[in-house]
């Protein structure tokens, strides 16, 4: 797996083959926005209980704090993985997308590129890769950042050109949601109180929650618990992490408090969750 950016902090592109994925493991936990662009062969991904066959010229788009299971890989697989910080992507796309688009992408993560779309995406990736050795230059660094943002826009254009849903310009509730999500991914280990995130935007907790609920169908507290529980499950999936260690890494005052929180939102205790895991979960992990 070759990094196409030299320690570029916000976004990276990686060429991958079957062997790269097998080394990393078939259970993939994502903490960034990203995509897999299949150039050859196929990859079968299980996400949110649904199976997706990602074949040549398909792009699978994923959002932060998701867990994917790679069910099967063709021997001739070749592709490109792109990863980007949540704030980087949101700061790029918020002017042309809203909360509905965010949720739509999560429910429909796979798209097929047209021949024209393939040419456009390949051109953008080539423009980035041709400058990969120059990122230390301040001017080139800014150019790479701009090209990375342009690639985000290009993939978004191809995505909404191939789906029934079109990007919608943001309104007030979308700006609130965007700011909330950016802060949540930075602070979920420090604060799980709605009032914290409401105060950041100078809103009352009740009004803040009503805006989030109206824009996404989920309350602010539900979004907080989703992020915390998703990360908790990811950490618990690794038998090397004790439940005490998981509670500490998530910012809980003690293991008992974490256990009550996990059971409240997941429906079982952390130890029962571990007992419920299939044996294969412990065989491979994403580095």
């Amino acid at each position: 797996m070759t990094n196409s950016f030299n320690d570029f902090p916000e976004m990276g592109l990686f060429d991958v083959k079957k062997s790269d994925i097998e080394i990393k493991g078939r259970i993939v936990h994502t903490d960034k926005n990203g995509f897999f662009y299949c150039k050859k062969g196929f990859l079968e991904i299980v996400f949110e209980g649904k199976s997706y066959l990602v074949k040549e010229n398909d792009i699978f788009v994923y959002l932060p704090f998701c867990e994917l299971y790679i069910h099967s890989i063709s021997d001739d697989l070749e592709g490109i993985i792109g990863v980007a910080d949540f704030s980087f992507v949101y700061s790029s796309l918020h002017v042309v997308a809203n909360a509905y688009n965010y949720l739509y992408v999560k429910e429909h993560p796979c798209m097929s590129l047209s021949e024209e779309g393939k040419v456009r995406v390949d051109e953008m990736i080539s423009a980035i890769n041709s400058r990969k050795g120059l990122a230390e230059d301040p001017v080139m660094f800014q150019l790479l950042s701009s090209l990375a943002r342009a690639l985000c826009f290009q993939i978004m254009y191809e995505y909404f050109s191939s789906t029934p849903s079109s990007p919608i310009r943001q309104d007030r509730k979308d700006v609130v949601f965007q700011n909330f999500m950016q802060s949540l991914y930075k602070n979920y280990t420090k604060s799980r109180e709605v009032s914290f995130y409401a105060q950041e935007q100078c809103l009352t907790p009740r009004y803040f929650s009503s805006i989030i609920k109206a824009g996404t169908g989920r309350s602010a507290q539900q979004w907080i618990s989703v992020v915390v529980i998703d990360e908790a499950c990811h950490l618990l999936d690794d038998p090397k992490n004790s439940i005490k260690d998981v509670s500490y890494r998530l910012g809980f005052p003690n293991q008992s408090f974490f256990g009550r929180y996990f059971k409240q939102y997941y429906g079982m205790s952390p130890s029962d969750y571990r007992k419920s895991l299939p044996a294969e979960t412990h065989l491979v992990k994403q580095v």
Side-chain angles (χ1 to χ4, degrees), residues 199-260:
Q199 187 175 10
E200 283 191 321
Q201 301 195 52
C202 301
L203 301 172
T204 66
R206 183 175 181 178
Y207 181 56
F208 172 74
S209 293
S210 69
I211 291 176
I212 299 300
K213 178 77 171 179
T216 69
R218 277 180 175 167
S219 69
Q221 188 60 62
Q222 286 175 319
W223 277 108
I224 294 169
S225 63
V226 163
V227 170
V228 174
I229 295 300
D230 280 356
E231 180 63 8
C233 289
H234 165 59
L235 295 173
L236 289 168
D237 286 348
D238 189 340
K240 295 178 183 177
N241 298 323
S242 69
I243 295 176
K244 182 178 180 180
D245 289 339
V246 172
S247 65
Y248 174 78
R249 290 172 65 174
L250 292 175
F252 287 89
N254 54 59
Q255 181 177 331
S256 177
F257 194 94
F258 166 63
R260 290 196 298 272

Side-chain angles (χ1 to χ4, degrees), residues 89-104:
V89 173
Y90 254 58
S91 65
S92 302
L93 303 181
H94 75 275
V95 296
V96 293
N98 67 5
Y100 172 78
N101 300 139
Y102 177 92
L103 299 174
Y104 186 89

Side-chain angles (χ1 to χ4, degrees), residues 19-29 67-71 73 233-234 236-240 277-287:
S19 58
D20 297 314
I21 294 175
E22 290 179 330
I23 290 172
K24 291 293 184 182
R26 296 196 180 208
I27 297 176
V28 181
H29 180 81
E67 190 158 273
L68 317 173
Y69 174 68
I70 300 172
H71 185 267
I73 317 169
C233 289
H234 165 59
L236 289 168
D237 286 348
D238 189 340
K240 295 178 183 177
L277 293 175
E280 65 182 5
T281 301
H282 300 301
L283 297 180
V284 288
K285 302 304 301 176
Q286 174 74 359
V287 176

